[in-house]
C-alpha cells in the first residue's frame, strides 16, 4: 500500500486495463490476476511463451566497500563468493532462525549488489538490512521505485528476446544477469525464473516499461506469446515445486524445517544473523527429522487448499501449504508438509481432509513438472 492506504500501481497499469485484465490486490499492489483464461496462459508458458509484469517485487541496492561483508552478515548465504554478473538464491532470517523472506541477490559490480525481495516482505527486508548495516561501510538504498520488472518465460522466450537485443543470451547462464539493451531500452537482463521454464527478467526504468512491453508483444506475435497474470504464475511455480513465502516459507520455519538447509552457509567467514539458532535447527533436523515438503496428486477432482489437514489412518500427519488444479497434469495437486514417516513417494493411505471428506492423494517427489532441457 502507499502511505495514503491506496493500492500502488505499476508503470504498466494502463496497458493491463486496456488488455481487459482482471485486477487484484496483491501485497498492496493492483496487479493483473488474469487476462482471459488462466489455463490458456499457463499452457502458453509451458509450450510457447508468456509475458509477466513483476514490478511489485522489491529491489534494494547495497553498495560500498563493505557491501559484501554486510550481506554475508545479514543473510544466510555466502554472498561475498558470488562473482560479478551472477546471482544467488538465499534467505534472510531472524535471530531465532525463522525465515523473514527468500531472496535473489545479484552482484552487479565489485561493490554493488541488488537484493530482490518478495513484494509482501520488501519493507521488512529493507528495514532489516538497514538495521543490520550499522557499523558497515555500506549503503542500503530502497530502489523499489527505480525499476519496473518484466519477465518473458517459456520455451520460445530466448528466440523472442534475441530478436530485440544483441546481448549474449546464449552465454547468459541460469542465475546470472548482464546489462544490455532490449528494443532500444537499457535493461538488466537476468535469467532466473519462477515458472519451471527457461526465461528472462528485464529490470528497466519505469518510464521505459510500456515501450518494452509493447515491443516484446509485437516480437512474440508469431511465437504464441500471451500476457500472463499472477494466477497462472502460481500454478506454474506450484508444478515446478517452487516455494512461495507465506505458504511454504514463514517466520515459524527455519530453512532446515523447509528442506532448504543447503542455502545456509556455516562455512563462510564471520558471524551472521541467526547462526547459532540455525546450528541448533540443523542438529535438530539430523536427530528428529522435521516434516517434509512433498507433492500430493489427487485421485479425484476435489482441489486442496492451503491449511487443509493431511491425514493417514485417521490421524493428522501434515498440512497443505499450496494447492490448485494442475493444467499440465490434468489433476488437482498440492504441496504439503507431512511427517517423515509418510513422506516417501507412493506412501499408501494418505488423504486430504476437504471439508470433512478424506480425499485420497498420492505422495510424489517434487517437482511435479520438469522441463526437457
Amino acid at each position: 500500500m502507499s502511505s495514503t492506504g491506496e493500492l500502488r500501481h505499476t508503470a504498466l497499469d494502463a496497458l493491463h486495463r486496456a488488455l481487459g485484465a482482471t485486477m487484484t490486490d496483491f501485497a498492496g499492489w493492483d496487479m493483473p490476476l488474469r487476462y482471459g483464461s488462466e489455463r490458456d496462459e499457463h499452457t502458453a508458458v509451458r509450450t510457447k511463451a508468456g509475458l509477466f509484469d513483476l514490478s511489485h517485487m522489491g529491489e534494494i541496492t547495497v553498495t560500498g566497500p563493505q557491501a559484501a561483508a554486510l550481506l554475508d552478515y545479514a543473510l544466510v548465504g555466502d554472498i561475498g563468493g558470488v562473482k560479478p554478473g551472477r546471482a544467488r538464491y538465499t534467505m534472510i532470517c531472524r535471530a531465532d532462525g525463522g525465515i523473514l523472506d527468500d531472496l535473489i541477490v545479484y552482484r552487479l559490480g565489485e561493490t554493488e549488489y541488488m537484493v530482490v525481495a518478495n513484494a509482501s516482505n520488501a519493507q521488512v527486508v529493507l528495514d532489516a538490512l538497514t538495521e543490520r548495516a550499522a557499523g558497515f561501510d555500506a549503503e542500503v538504498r530502497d530502489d523499489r521505485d527505480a525499476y519496473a520488472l518484466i519477465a518473458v518465460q517459456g520455451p520460445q522466450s530466448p528466440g523472442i528476446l534475441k530478436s530485440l537485443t544483441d546481448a549474449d543470451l546464449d552465454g547468459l547462464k541460469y542465475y546470472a544477469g548482464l546489462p544490455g539493451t532490449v528494443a532500444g531500452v537499457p535493461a538488466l537482463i537476468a535469467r532466473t525464473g519462477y515458472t519451471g521454464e527457461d526465461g528472462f527478467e528485464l529490470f528497466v526504468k519505469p518510464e521505459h516499461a510500456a515501450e518494452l512491453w509493447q515491443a516484446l508483444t509485437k516480437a512474440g506475435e508469431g511465437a504464441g506469446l500471451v500476457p500472463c497474470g499472477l494466477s497462472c504464475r502460481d500454478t506454474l511455480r506450484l508444478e515446478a515445486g517452487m516455494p512461495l513465502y507465506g505458504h511454504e516459507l514463514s517466520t515459524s520455519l527455519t530453512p532446515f524445517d523447509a528442506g532448504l538447509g543447503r542455502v545456509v552457509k556455516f562455512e563462510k567467514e564471520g558471524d551472521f544473523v541467526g547462526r547459532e539458532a540455525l546450528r541448533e535447527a540443523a542438529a535438530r533436523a539430523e536427530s528428529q527429522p522435521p516434516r517434509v515438503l512433498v507433492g500430493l496428486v489427487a485421485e479425484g477432482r476435489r482441489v486442496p487448499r492451503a491449511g487443509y489437514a493431511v491425514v493417514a489412518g485417521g490421524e493428522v500427519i501434515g498440512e497443505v501449504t499450496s494447492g490448485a488444479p494442475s493444467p499440465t497434469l490434468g489433476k488437482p495437486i498440492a504441496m504439503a508438509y507431512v511427517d517423515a514417516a509418510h513422506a516417501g513417494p507412493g506412501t499408501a493411505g494418505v488423504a486430504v481432509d476437504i471439508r470433512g471428506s478424506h480425499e485420497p492423494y498420492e505422495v510424489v517427489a517434487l517437482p511435479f513438472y520438469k522441463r526437457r532441457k
Side-chain angles (χ1 to χ4, degrees), residues 150 164 182-183 185 187 202 204 208-217:
I150 296 172
L164 296 174
V182 182
V185 171
L202 307 170
V204 299
H208 295 149
E211 173 191 347
L212 180 57
W213 179 280
Q214 287 167 327
L216 287 161
T217 299

Side-chain angles (χ1 to χ4, degrees), residues 76 90-94 96-101 248-250 252-264 274 277-278 281-282 285 290 337:
V76 301
T90 187
M91 292 181 182
I92 182 167
C93 290
R94 301 192 307 193
D96 67 1
I99 302 165
L100 282 172
D101 201 14
E248 288 71 42
L249 308 174
S250 70
S252 63
L253 296 171
T254 72
F256 294 94
D257 298 321
L260 292 165
R262 66 180 181 276
V263 305
V264 181
L278 289 168
Y337 282 111

Side-chain angles (χ1 to χ4, degrees), residues 115-334:
V115 177
V116 182
N118 286 296
S120 54
N121 295 328
Q123 191 62 47
V124 169
V125 173
L126 178 67
D127 292 346
L129 286 175
T130 303
E131 184 184 317
R132 294 173 190 187
F136 289 93
D137 186 2
E139 181 197 349
V140 176
R141 187 172 74 234
D142 180 1
D143 268 349
R144 284 176 286 180
D145 293 335
Y147 292 102
L149 177 56
I150 296 172
V152 54
Q153 295 276 306
Q156 296 294 327
S157 57
I160 293 167
L161 203 55
K162 277 178 187 174
S163 72
L164 296 174
T165 183
D166 57 6
D168 180 16
L169 298 186
D170 291 334
L172 183 63
K173 295 187 171 81
Y174 187 53
Y175 267 76
L178 83 162
T181 304
V182 182
V185 171
L188 171 67
I189 306 168
R191 195 174 206 164
T192 60
Y194 191 56
T195 61
E197 299 299 335
D198 191 11
F200 303 87
E201 297 77 44
L202 307 170
F203 295 85
V204 299
K205 287 182 176 175
E207 57 265 33
H208 295 149
E211 173 191 347
L212 180 57
W213 179 280
Q214 287 167 327
L216 287 161
T217 299
K218 193 168 187 333
E221 275 173 1
L225 178 79
V226 302
C228 294
L230 293 178
S231 185
C232 85
R233 185 169 156 83
D234 192 49
T235 53
L236 289 159
R237 70 93 196 167
L238 176 55
E239 288 184 350
M242 294 178 170
L244 175 63
Y245 195 90
H247 289 255
E248 288 71 42
L249 308 174
S250 70
T251 50
S252 63
L253 296 171
T254 72
F256 294 94
D257 298 321
L260 292 165
R262 66 180 181 276
V263 305
V264 181
K265 304 299 181 187
F266 292 118
E267 67 275 16
K268 65 178 175 176
E269 282 182 29
D271 195 18
F272 63 89
V273 177
R275 180 191 275 272
E276 209 43 57
L278 289 168
R279 273 213 182 282
E280 291 170 14
R284 199 163 54 242
E286 283 285 318
S287 59
Q288 299 170 292
R291 283 182 165 176
V292 179
L293 189 64
V294 300
L296 298 174
V297 178
E299 293 180 20
R301 309 304 306 169
R302 297 187 71 186
V303 179
R305 298 298 181 192
Y308 285 11
V310 182
V311 295
E315 300 289 320
V316 174
I317 57 150
E319 185 176 300
V320 171
T321 53
S322 297
S326 163
T328 305
L329 275 64
K331 298 175 178 179
I333 59 171

